[in-house]
Amino acid sequence: MAAKQKILIVDDDNNIAELISLYLTKECYDTRIVNDGEQALTAFSQYNPNLILLDLMLPGIDGYQVCREIRAKNNVPIIMLSAKGEIFDKVLGLELGADDYIMKPFDAKELVARVKAVMRRYQPSRSDAGAEIKCVRYPDLTVNLSNYSVMYNGRPVDMPPKELELLYFLASSPNQVFTREQLLDHIWGYEYIGDTRTVDVHVKRLREKIKDHATWSIATVWGIGYKFEVTE
């Protein structure tokens, strides 16, 4: 029997944490609850979770700092939980490397659906040996969706699942323009609580890791969205 996927729940409100744990346990996830930022960093190293549900307003080390420290060494999926609904807070969370952002109060079923969606992206199912390999190649760039890897200038580039999926999606349709709404719908796969700046944040992070090449670039189409521009 395959081992259960492990989820670390970080929230200083133990009632909320217990409720989240209850719903996730029913879905056959293994969970661990901690109530502050220091415990979160310790538990991350010891528990080795497959996903972290991280409240922002924590005593001591806040959720932003926890996310920053974990992201410095690991790409484990992180879903931020917060009662703060300002766009600035969402964008800051995404810029620090969070994979999703859910506002409190939230519907437990929606939270479980978000967890499952992020898990699917981070751990794509092992397919048969004869299955199609999803990979695009350009000069100095290879994006492989089958094993979630990126090679740039001959070196591997670490990036969270959504960044990689966005890059692959754009690069798979060179010179085709996609609106932010289309990219949100395809990459996130559900009605995201936020706005289209989510796409802008992820494109910004991609551009920091993948610089424009003489023959290709991630181009902004002003007033519309983005495209992976390829020149002959």
Side-chain angles (χ1 to χ4, degrees):
M1 181 181 294
K4 291 182 178 180
Q5 292 180 309
K6 297 183 289 185
I7 298 177
L8 178 62
I9 303 168
V10 187
D11 200 311
D12 61 340
D13 187 327
N14 210 54
N15 291 328
I16 292 177
E18 291 286 356
L19 182 63
I20 292 172
S21 178
L22 176 64
Y23 275 91
L24 292 174
T25 301
K26 286 181 179 180
E27 297 293 329
C28 296
Y29 292 108
D30 183 79
T31 65
R32 179 177 295 185
I33 295 171
V34 296
N35 302 119
D36 63 48
E38 267 189 62
Q39 291 178 15
L41 293 173
T42 300
F44 168 71
S45 299
Q46 297 175 349
Y47 185 52
N48 193 27
N50 300 101
L51 182 142
I52 301 172
L53 288 170
L54 178 62
D55 186 35
L56 291 181
M57 304 303 290
L58 298 171
I61 304 172
D62 67 18
Y64 291 120
Q65 184 62 28
V66 172
C67 181
R68 186 181 290 111
E69 293 192 26
I70 289 175
R71 270 291 168 265
K73 53 190 173 184
N74 196 287
N75 278 330
V76 62
I78 297 174
I79 298 178
M80 287 186 168
L81 308 175
S82 179
K84 297 173 120 184
E86 296 297 325
I87 294 300
F88 169 81
D89 298 302
K90 298 175 187 177
V91 170
L92 178 58
L94 293 168
E95 285 184 333
L96 290 175
D99 294 272
D100 205 345
Y101 188 110
I102 302 178
M103 287 172 52
K104 295 180 179 180
F106 49 78
D107 180 81
K109 291 181 180 178
E110 180 188 3
L111 183 140
V112 170
R114 299 277 189 100
V115 166
K116 289 182 176 180
V118 172
M119 286 287 204
R120 283 196 299 271
R121 294 185 182 97
Y122 191 74
Q123 296 179 325
S125 59
R126 300 293 186 264
S127 52
D128 295 334
E132 176 189 3
I133 296 176
K134 296 182 178 180
C135 183
V136 292
R137 292 183 175 87
Y138 293 94
D140 299 319
L141 178 67
T142 300
V143 186
N144 191 323
L145 191 63
S146 296
N147 62 11
Y148 275 63
S149 66
V150 175
M151 294 292 293
Y152 173 61
N153 285 335
R155 295 183 177 182
V157 178
D158 290 331
M159 59 179 62
K162 282 192 180 70
E163 286 180 33
L164 191 147
E165 289 179 349
L166 179 58
L167 178 61
Y168 177 83
F169 183 69
L170 290 169
S172 296
S173 301
N175 295 323
Q176 181 173 340
V177 178
F178 294 97
T179 67
R180 291 170 175 82
E181 290 79 8
Q182 287 173 322
L183 293 172
L184 267 177
D185 183 63
H186 182 86
I187 304 302
W188 279 258
Y190 49 76
E191 186 177 352
Y192 189 75
I193 298 179
D195 67 1
T196 53
R197 292 187 210 182
T198 301
V199 175
D200 298 335
V201 169
H202 282 74
V203 169
K204 176 185 174 184
R205 280 159 44 183
L206 280 175
R207 285 172 169 162
E208 290 171 352
K209 299 173 183 179
I210 307 292
K211 306 300 182 184
D212 288 351
H213 190 273
T215 61
W216 52 261
S217 65
I218 302 173
T220 299
V221 182
W222 297 107
I224 301 176
Y226 298 96
K227 67 177 178 177
F228 191 86
E229 189 168 66
V230 177
T231 58
E232 295 297 335

